[in-house]
Structure formats: C-alpha cells, structure tokens
Amino acid sequence: MLSKILMPSGGQTTDEMLIQKWNKHVGDTVKRGDILFEIETDKAILTVESFAEGVLLEVRFPEGVMVKVGEVVALIGNPGDLDQEKKENQKQKQEEKVDRKEKRDAVVNKELVAETDTPARFNGSKKILASPLAKSLAKIEKIDLEKVARFVSGNLIKKADISRYLREQTKAPVETEIESDHYFIDNSQIRKTIAKRMRESLNTAPHYVISVDVDMTAAIALRNKLNKNGLSKQGLKVSFNDLLMKVVAKAVESAPLVNASFSENKLKVFRNVNIGLAVATETGIIVPVVHNVNKKSIAEITADSSRSIARVKNNQLTESELQGGTITISNLGMFGIDRFTAIINQPESCILAVGGISKKPVVVNDAVVIRDIMNITASFDHRIIDGAVGAPFLQKVRELLEDPELLLY
C-alpha cells in the first residue's frame, strides 16, 4: 500500500518550512521510526520520522525548497504502487486540463464579443479605433490613446495593447553589476523569523529595563559543591544557568505576574514556570524550553537543560521542546559580555539578560574587597509588570543567588 508522507506542522505560526536535508534517498528501504528528512522551521531545525515502512519511491521536493504544511513530500511503498499512483495522477491531470480548456474557451468567447471595433475621435480630426475594454483601461490608467496608437502597429487598439504599453513605460533601466565592497548572504528561515518576531515584540510590548549586580560568591561555592560531591557521579554538571532557572522559579512565587502573558481582556497567569534558554547556533538563536522548573530539583533541571542543548546542537529538537515558554534567559557571559539588554520573547512578559562573572572591588562591612560579580538585566512588558512588581522580583533573584540556602524555604 502506498503511503504519502506529508510536510508536518511546524507550530501555530508556521505554514511552510524548508527541507534542509534528505537522510533517505529514492530506492532506500525505510522502516517505521527512521529519520526521513530534516526541516528548518521558524524556530529550529527538526527531524521528521517515517510512520510507514517500505521503499522510498519518490521525493517530490529537493533540499533547499520551501514546502507548505500538508503538502505530499514523498511516497513510500512497493514499486508497483507507484505505477498505480501515476495512472491516477495522469487521469486527474487530464480532467483538470479539460476543465481549464473549457474555462479558457468561455473567457475567449466573452472577450471576442467585447473586443468589437469602436471608433474614438480625438483632437477633432484623427480617428483612433479602440475596443471598449481598451478605452476603459486607458481611462483608469489615465493614458492618452494617441500615444498608444503610435506604439502599436495594428489599426485597432485592444486591451492587451494598453497592458503592453504600460509594461514598456514602467520598465526600469538595467544596472550593470560591478565589483563592490560588499557581498550577500541568504537569510535562513530562522533568521527571517527572528527579525520578524523581534520587530513585532518591540512594536507590541512597551519594554522597560532594570538591572542589578549580583555577588556570586555563594552561588559559585554551591555550584562547585554540587558538581564535586553529588551530581558529577550522575554524569551531570550544573551550570550557572541551571542555578538561575531554579532561582527564577522560586522568585516567581512572590511575583506571579512576571510569569504571565497579555491579552486585551484578561491576563494569562501560568501556574508552572517554563523557562526558555536562548542557545546560539550557526543559523540563529534557538530557545529550547525546560518545563515545570518550579517542580524540579537542580539535578532534574540540569539533566533537562543539558539534554535540550545537546539536541539543539545535533538538530534533534522536537516542536514540543520549543513551545510553552513563560520566561526566557539569555546568557552572553561566555562571550565576554558584562551586561546587555534583551528583547522579550513574545508572548512572554520577561526576559533576563545575563552577563559574565568578573572580579570587581565592592564594599563589604565598610571594607573594599574583591568579589565575583555578575550583572542581570531584566526586560519587562510594562502592560503587565509595573516597576513595583519588576524591581522586587529582580531583587529576589539577587537575594537568592547571594544566599542560595533560601531556596530550601
């Protein structure tokens, strides 16, 4: 039995996707669960598994082509099945051809009736023959029929002559390409969507930004202790992002509006904290989501985030791993960035921009000491989160990082 492989859905905001790579080729044997091809959505590169078994008989779209959701991209079955499919397609095409011919003949007959010789007199003396359709189009486009008459060779001006005249008048001069000081790179689908989403976010949500410096001395000690005495035996390595996820989920308890999204009639406040972690790839930023962070231990958060980051780098993410985020963390500390601001990932209402940890002089008990300092800059959607909510939330994040034992309460 012939099985049709359709382009899957890429999410609510995606109606077409790019076929990036075929992992199977025509003639290959395919088993259920085999990865057939990879697609690039507006969020990530995803793999598509086969639900059918048999031989890959036909690939309808090559790599590098945009395909609409629901389109048939491949056929799997037995070789004899393909002959039957071709016969059915030929029959359908013949029926469509006959239908198009009948419609075209009807249009032509109607046009012939309308395109009758109708004289038009201009400047009191010169007679110009034009069809009613031509005169109507000339009037709409504000074209002098005398100019068209000098342009065409026939005695009767028709609608097609007006259209051809318009095309000739609007042709732009061809510029000769010369060597220049720049070159072009094609935008990926991900990059196009990032540009669109960031513009929409700034146009939709009135951002405001606040920033704090955090003494990471205690957090560093806790991370080292966890990695040395416990989690390393499980094959896990806690990152500062993992600690920050746990801290953010705890801080949301005192500021639930930070974990919400805006609509005109109601605010949608989420009970679970689902944190997206912005990961840089060659094609753009991808944000896998760790779900239910508020219900997980640091070990569980570390395991989930490590797995997601690995799947991003290996192009193995599923759509469910990219959806449902309520807060995003973007960390550029590994690039030597001390502080920056980030644009909110709609429809979320908060994004935390995390800088690198660096040694700085600070005053502790009236004495100047050197401490490991990290900056966190939060961008909030002012439609939901006022300064009286955002500031205490960020202060709570700092308090928990500087005294992580408070996470136990």
Side-chain angles (χ1 to χ4, degrees):
M1 180 179 177
L2 193 66
S3 298
K4 296 180 179 180
I5 306 300
L6 307 181
M7 176 61 79
S9 172
Q12 296 180 349
T13 60
T14 304
D15 57 4
E16 64 177 2
M17 290 166 287
L18 179 78
I19 294 182
Q20 189 184 73
K21 179 183 177 183
W22 279 99
N23 293 324
K24 295 288 186 178
H25 302 90
V26 173
D28 289 351
T29 299
V30 179
K31 296 180 181 179
R32 186 175 286 106
D34 284 352
I35 296 177
L36 275 179
F37 58 100
E38 298 175 8
I39 57 176
E40 182 179 319
T41 73
D42 58 359
K43 297 179 179 178
I45 296 173
L46 308 177
T47 57
V48 178
E49 297 180 355
S50 174
F51 66 86
E53 294 187 350
V55 176
L56 182 57
L57 302 175
E58 183 178 325
V59 170
R60 294 191 173 178
F61 297 95
E63 296 174 354
V65 173
M66 296 294 296
V67 181
K68 291 185 178 298
V69 172
E71 287 275 1
V72 178
V73 296
L75 299 175
I76 295 177
N78 299 315
D81 298 333
L82 190 58
D83 294 335
Q84 182 63 30
E85 175 74 8
K86 288 181 177 179
K87 289 180 182 179
E88 293 178 0
N89 287 339
Q90 289 175 353
K91 181 179 179 181
Q92 182 178 357
K93 289 180 179 179
Q94 186 63 31
E95 292 174 351
E96 291 175 351
K97 183 177 180 181
V98 172
D99 185 52
R100 286 197 302 270
K101 185 177 184 302
E102 291 176 351
K103 291 181 178 178
R104 184 172 63 250
D105 290 344
V107 172
V108 170
N109 291 334
K110 181 178 180 181
E111 194 71 16
L112 289 174
V113 172
E115 294 277 8
T116 57
D117 291 357
T118 304
R121 189 174 297 276
F122 291 86
N123 297 330
S125 59
K126 187 175 180 179
K127 181 182 289 187
I128 298 175
L129 296 178
S131 72
L133 292 178
K135 288 200 283 186
S136 176
L137 181 57
K139 184 177 181 181
I140 293 172
E141 298 292 343
K142 298 180 181 179
I143 297 173
D144 188 342
L145 286 176
E146 287 190 51
K147 294 180 180 180
V148 181
R150 290 192 291 268
F151 175 77
V152 300
S153 58
N155 295 323
L156 175 67
I157 298 175
K158 297 182 179 180
K159 180 182 177 182
D161 297 323
I162 301 292
S163 300
R164 187 157 56 91
Y165 175 81
L166 285 169
R167 288 196 299 271
E168 291 296 326
Q169 297 303 309
T170 56
K171 277 186 178 179
V174 178
E175 296 183 1
T176 303
E177 185 174 345
I178 60 175
E179 186 176 353
S180 65
D181 60 352
H182 62 269
Y183 61 95
F184 295 97
I185 299 175
D186 291 337
N187 273 335
S188 66
Q189 189 66 15
I190 293 175
R191 178 52 56 191
K192 292 177 183 177
T193 303
I194 288 173
K196 179 182 177 182
R197 294 276 174 82
M198 295 301 98
R199 183 175 62 251
E200 288 177 350
S201 181
L202 285 176
N203 290 338
T204 301
H207 289 50
Y208 76 93
V209 175
I210 55 178
S211 179
V212 294
D213 286 332
V214 181
D215 185 342
M216 293 293 289
T217 303
I220 291 173
L222 174 61
R223 176 175 178 263
N224 291 338
K225 186 175 182 179
L226 290 171
N227 286 332
K228 181 180 179 180
N229 298 330
L231 297 186
S232 60
K233 297 179 181 179
Q234 304 177 35
L236 299 175
K237 185 177 181 180
V238 179
S239 69
F240 289 111
N241 289 329
D242 301 330
L243 286 177
L244 187 56
M245 287 187 196
K246 183 67 175 177
V247 165
V248 168
K250 183 68 174 178
V252 164
E253 293 178 4
S254 59
L257 286 180
V258 173
N259 198 49
S261 63
F262 180 86
S263 64
E264 291 298 332
N265 297 321
K266 295 181 180 180
L267 300 182
K268 188 175 183 179
V269 183
F270 299 97
R271 291 188 174 89
N272 290 322
V273 182
N274 303 329
I275 299 181
L277 180 63
V279 179
T281 70
E282 293 181 356
T283 55
I285 300 297
I286 297 175
V287 187
V289 177
V290 178
H291 294 83
N292 305 325
V293 175
N294 53 308
K295 297 179 180 178
K296 293 178 177 177
S297 66
I298 290 180
E300 291 171 323
I301 294 169
T302 300
D304 286 354
S305 64
S306 299
R307 181 169 53 251
S308 294
I309 292 172
R311 288 173 67 81
V312 167
K313 294 180 178 179
N314 294 323
N315 297 330
Q316 295 177 334
L317 280 180
T318 62
E319 188 65 24
S320 61
E321 293 173 285
L322 296 168
Q323 295 179 339
T326 57
I327 296 175
T328 295
I329 294 174
S330 179
N331 192 335
L332 295 181
M334 67 288 294
F335 298 107
I337 302 301
D338 289 330
R339 66 178 65 213
F340 67 103
T341 59
I343 298 174
I344 297 169
N345 186 19
Q346 290 287 315
E348 299 169 17
S349 301
C350 171
I351 185 168
L352 301 179
V354 182
I357 299 174
S358 58
K359 293 187 179 297
K360 295 181 180 180
V362 297
V363 177
V364 178
N365 297 326
D366 295 330
V368 178
V369 296
I370 303 299
R371 290 293 176 88
D372 292 299
I373 303 299
M374 182 180 76
N375 176 264
I376 302 177
T377 300
S379 299
F380 294 111
D381 184 343
H382 213 326
R383 297 173 302 173
I384 302 177
I385 307 166
D386 294 329
V389 175
F393 166 76
L394 197 54
Q395 287 175 350
K396 188 67 175 180
V397 170
R398 177 171 58 184
E399 179 186 3
L400 291 169
L401 284 171
E402 292 184 343
D403 188 3
E405 290 184 3
L406 295 174
L407 292 170
L408 300 175
Y409 296 95

